[in-house]
């Protein structure tokens, strides 16, 4: 009986230890996603690019691979388009497999252009990779803010 309780306690402690490890990784990834959100809301290119991995492999429909310069250009163009952007995450799921993770999130974007306000939802899927102890985006979402924006309306 004593052996049974010892094994039960060991299994419980192992479960707690493994759970805490994933929670730590989840919170590190959540931090990256929060910084990405802040970069879009404050139009901070430097912050945004600090989250992008050198191994980034963003593929667009019309281009096989988008370069770092194209990523910067896309961010700047998106930022310039809107006077203000406010992003809130409605739902986010994080799937970790080793040193890679996939984030799927449904976000609500509130944007204004020349006093015209719009509110829309975007489903995003991003991939991240852990380099040493730092998580970076290796594949940005294919969803474009422009696709959801309706001048003066809600989509």
């Amino acid at each position: 009986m004593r052996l049974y309780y010892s094994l039960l306690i060991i299994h419980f402690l192992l479960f707690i230890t493994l759970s805490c490890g994933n929670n730590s990784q989840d919170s590190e990834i959540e931090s990256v996603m929060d910084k990405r959100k802040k970069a879009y809301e404050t139009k901070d290119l430097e912050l945004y690019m600090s989250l992008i991995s050198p191994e980034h492999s963003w593929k667009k429909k019309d281009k096989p691979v988008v370069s770092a310069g194209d990523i910067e250009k896309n961010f700047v163009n998106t930022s310039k388009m809107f006077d203000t952007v406010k992003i809130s995450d409605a739902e986010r799921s994080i799937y970790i497999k080793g040193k890679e993770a996939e984030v799927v999130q449904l976000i609500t974007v509130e944007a204004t252009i020349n006093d015209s306000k719009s509110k829309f939802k975007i489903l995003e899927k991003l991939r991240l990779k852990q380099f040493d102890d730092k998580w970076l985006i290796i594949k940005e979402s294919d969803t474009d803010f422009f696709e959801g924006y309706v001048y003066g309306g809600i989509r």
Side-chain angles (χ1 to χ4, degrees):
M1 191 65 146
R2 198 176 210 183
L3 179 63
Y4 172 77
Y5 285 120
S6 296
L7 288 174
L8 186 62
I9 289 171
I10 289 171
H11 279 110
F12 176 73
L13 292 174
L14 183 61
F15 173 76
I16 296 296
T17 303
L18 292 175
S19 296
C20 290
N22 254 0
N23 287 340
S24 172
Q25 288 184 330
D26 281 1
S27 59
E28 290 169 17
I29 293 169
E30 291 278 354
S31 175
V32 170
M33 300 309 294
D34 290 343
K35 288 176 185 173
R36 178 179 175 264
K37 171 185 162 182
K38 181 180 178 182
Y40 272 108
E41 291 178 339
T42 61
K43 303 179 181 188
D44 187 339
L45 176 62
E46 188 175 325
L47 175 60
Y48 179 74
M49 291 307 293
S50 74
L51 307 172
I52 303 297
S53 163
E55 292 182 14
H56 195 278
S57 63
W58 187 19
K59 295 180 181 180
K60 292 291 258 181
K61 297 169 192 156
D62 56 344
K63 283 187 171 182
V65 177
V66 177
S67 70
D70 290 335
I71 294 167
E72 287 183 18
K73 185 177 174 183
N74 184 66
F75 179 85
V76 169
N77 288 340
T78 301
S79 298
K80 283 182 181 177
M81 171 76 177
F82 302 108
D83 296 330
T84 63
V85 173
K86 182 172 178 350
I87 302 170
S88 57
D89 355 297
E91 300 173 36
R92 180 181 291 157
S93 297
I94 299 171
Y95 306 98
I96 300 171
K97 186 175 182 182
K99 291 191 173 269
E100 292 201 16
E102 184 174 85
V103 177
V104 178
Q105 63 182 8
L106 178 64
I107 61 172
T108 301
V109 179
E110 294 179 46
T112 58
I113 298 176
N114 298 329
D115 297 327
S116 178
K117 293 183 181 182
S118 186
K119 184 175 182 179
F120 50 95
K121 293 185 184 257
I122 297 175
L123 181 62
E124 296 186 304
K125 183 170 124 178
L126 299 93
R127 287 187 32 236
L128 290 84
K129 186 173 180 180
Q130 189 176 30
F131 296 90
D132 297 321
D133 291 332
K134 188 175 181 180
W135 286 93
L136 296 173
I137 298 169
I138 59 171
K139 184 174 186 314
E140 181 59 271
S141 173
D142 289 330
T143 308
D144 191 342
F145 282 8
F146 298 127
E147 291 175 9
Y149 188 80
V150 178
Y151 288 89
I154 296 175
R155 181 171 167 201

